[in-house]
Amino acid sequence: MKIVKIQSHVLQYDLPEPLGYSQQYYAKRSAHLVEVTTDEGITGWGECFGPGNVALANKAIVERVIQPLILGMDPMDRDVIWHKVYNLLRDHGQKGMPMQALSGVDIALWDIAGKVAGLPIHKLIGGAHRDHVTVYGYGMMLRPDETADSLAARFVDEAAEIKEMGFAATKMKVGLGPKPDVKLAEAVRRGVGDDFRFMVDANHCYTTSDAFYVGRALQDLDAYWFEEPIAPEDHDGYRELRAGLDINISGGEAEFNRWGWRQILENRGLDIAQPEVCALGGISEYLRVLALCHAHFTPVTNHVWGSDIAVAVNLQLLAAMPPMPGGLHPWEPMLEFDTTHNHFRDDLLEDPLDIAGQVKTTNGTVTIPDKPGIGVTPNTDFISEFEIT
């Protein structure tokens, strides 16, 4: 079997209303899918992290840089392919967009391997430790036309709605500044009540001192984790926050490959690791990062962003994740699910995952797809409708 073509599909549409997080507002939803075709007619699908113009730049890397390096190679030799591409691109960036582009290709190769074997990816990894995964719904995003007070009122209602939808927990965004952000967190706590788990995602917007201010308030609100409170490069700051706050410090979505993750984990700055498989180097590298996390006794809850391709891949990985540290009632990972408007989550697949529908009827959990590969197939007519060049 040989690779004969690699094609990127960047999808985009206008959102009904702009959404935001601490770094920016955006009015378009994007997704970047990768399609790897073989001479035996087996096609694999993957996804690259990164929206908008980043996706267009990654499309060029996938098609014009990576494709020429691996055309004609056996797609089953995915580890050989991974290291060939990484080694030849090392001089041009060991992190960032080259790794995002490689991630989508690697995921597609795993999809092909599963289809060749007739097995879901979790079987290729070593089997499923669980046949269902708990899901948390994130929402409560910023809006460019709303004040802190109007956002707080919205967050109360939206948090209550996500709880009512059946999700086991919820996550909010912050980014207005330390004091208004605390008010937003207080609003979410009011919305979900005292006994419901909620998390706070800062997208690295604070200084260390401001993160301590917000973190202490989140402790009092019994928030479960404080995600990316400061810049991902500030390893010392993460260690200080973890040592000084009684709330889980999480992060890692902006880190790449095993070497970057080794530095984070040896620094002991995270209570919960959040690797992003569509960015850090694909499934091949994710498994090495997962092993490093568990070697440092750091539990993992994957970061998930993008289309239902990314969701399906993460379901496979969460199924195959060993319990850490084990026991009758071990710490369990959760699936992150975006509850905001997303055609690429709801309408992309020939057979939709229907995460929201499953959550509503199963007490906040979803089952693991058991079809070969990543377990899902995108609708090519839908891709054609939303693809941009």
Side-chain angles (χ1 to χ4, degrees):
M1 185 185 300
K2 294 181 180 180
I3 298 170
V4 296
K5 186 178 182 180
I6 303 177
Q7 186 175 0
S8 275
H9 304 279
V10 177
L11 314 181
Q12 192 172 87
Y13 73 93
D14 293 330
L15 287 166
E17 61 177 335
L19 299 173
Y21 59 104
S22 68
Q23 301 301 317
Q24 64 176 333
Y25 298 101
Y26 57 94
K28 296 179 182 292
R29 171 79 66 182
S30 302
H32 178 186
L33 310 183
V34 175
E35 180 183 10
V36 176
T37 305
T38 70
D39 62 348
E40 295 187 10
I42 298 176
T43 298
W45 290 91
E47 183 161 354
C48 301
F49 181 82
N53 291 333
V54 172
L56 293 174
N58 282 336
K59 174 181 173 69
I61 297 173
V62 168
E63 295 184 344
R64 300 187 182 186
V65 179
I66 296 177
Q67 179 176 222
L69 295 177
I70 65 175
L71 280 179
M73 293 185 70
D74 186 338
M76 300 296 285
D77 293 339
R78 53 193 178 275
D79 194 61
V80 175
I81 290 171
W82 195 97
H83 285 91
K84 177 180 181 179
V85 172
Y86 183 81
N87 290 339
L88 289 174
L89 294 184
R90 176 182 275 120
D91 292 345
H92 313 289
Q94 304 92 40
K95 301 177 183 289
M97 288 188 288
M99 295 302 294
Q100 292 172 348
L102 176 55
S103 297
V105 174
D106 180 80
I107 291 167
L109 297 180
W110 275 85
D111 190 30
I112 289 171
K115 291 172 179 175
V116 170
L119 296 170
I121 284 174
H122 67 260
K123 286 289 189 183
L124 297 185
I125 294 172
H129 292 273
R130 54 195 63 83
D131 59 11
H132 63 277
V133 177
T134 298
V135 188
Y136 75 86
Y138 95 72
M140 288 76 73
M141 299 191 72
L142 307 182
R143 304 296 199 280
D145 56 347
E146 293 195 7
T147 66
D149 288 341
S150 64
L151 276 174
R154 177 196 286 267
F155 280 17
V156 171
D157 295 337
E158 190 172 346
E161 181 180 356
I162 290 174
K163 179 181 179 180
E164 180 64 23
M165 291 170 68
F167 289 96
T170 191
K171 186 170 76 176
M172 63 177 293
K173 297 289 189 180
V174 291
L176 301 181
K179 290 185 178 180
D181 286 346
V182 170
K183 292 182 179 179
L184 294 181
E186 290 171 344
V188 170
R189 174 51 81 197
R190 290 197 302 274
V192 298
D194 292 337
D195 298 323
F196 192 77
R197 183 179 289 184
F198 87 100
M199 295 81 78
V200 178
D201 187 358
N203 293 107
H204 51 76
C205 69
Y206 300 126
T207 64
T208 304
S209 60
D210 284 345
F212 268 110
Y213 174 88
V214 176
R216 292 186 185 106
L218 297 182
Q219 289 175 178
D220 294 339
L221 293 170
D222 194 27
Y224 182 55
W225 75 54
F226 191 11
E227 182 172 336
E228 276 202 311
I230 57 177
E233 302 95 329
D234 187 4
H235 292 181
D236 290 342
Y238 273 92
R239 188 175 62 249
E240 292 167 8
L241 288 169
R242 188 186 181 206
L245 292 174
D246 292 326
I247 182 175
N248 290 313
I249 302 299
S250 69
E253 71 183 73
E255 191 52 82
F256 302 85
N257 69 47
R258 75 200 83 159
W259 298 285
W261 271 95
R262 181 186 67 180
Q263 292 179 322
I264 289 179
L265 294 164
E266 289 179 350
N267 186 63
R268 305 296 290 171
L270 293 178
D271 293 289
I272 299 171
Q274 295 174 298
E276 169 54 73
V277 66
C278 296
L280 61 77
I283 294 173
S284 296
E285 195 66 359
Y286 169 90
L287 294 174
R288 292 184 272 260
V289 168
L290 177 65
L292 278 175
C293 291
H294 283 192
H296 288 82
F297 293 95
T298 303
V300 173
T301 287
N302 299 345
H303 179 266
V304 185
W305 179 92
S307 79
D308 247 0
I309 297 293
V311 173
V313 171
N314 277 280
L315 284 172
Q316 297 292 329
L317 298 176
L318 292 171
M321 184 186 297
M324 203 290 298
L328 290 174
H329 302 284
W331 190 95
E332 290 283 357
M334 294 187 288
L335 173 71
E336 178 176 13
F337 184 76
D338 174 8
T339 65
T340 63
H341 196 278
N342 190 341
H343 279 317
F344 308 139
R345 175 201 62 217
D346 297 333
D347 305 316
L348 170 65
L349 303 181
E350 291 183 356
D351 185 12
L353 290 169
D354 189 22
I355 300 296
Q358 291 190 62
V359 162
K360 184 66 175 177
T361 59
T362 60
N363 195 30
T365 67
V366 295
T367 58
I368 308 301
D370 59 2
K371 295 178 181 178
I374 62 176
V376 297
T377 303
N379 184 315
T380 54
D381 290 336
F382 179 91
I383 290 174
S384 297
E385 180 181 355
F386 289 94
E387 189 166 8
I388 62 173
T389 58

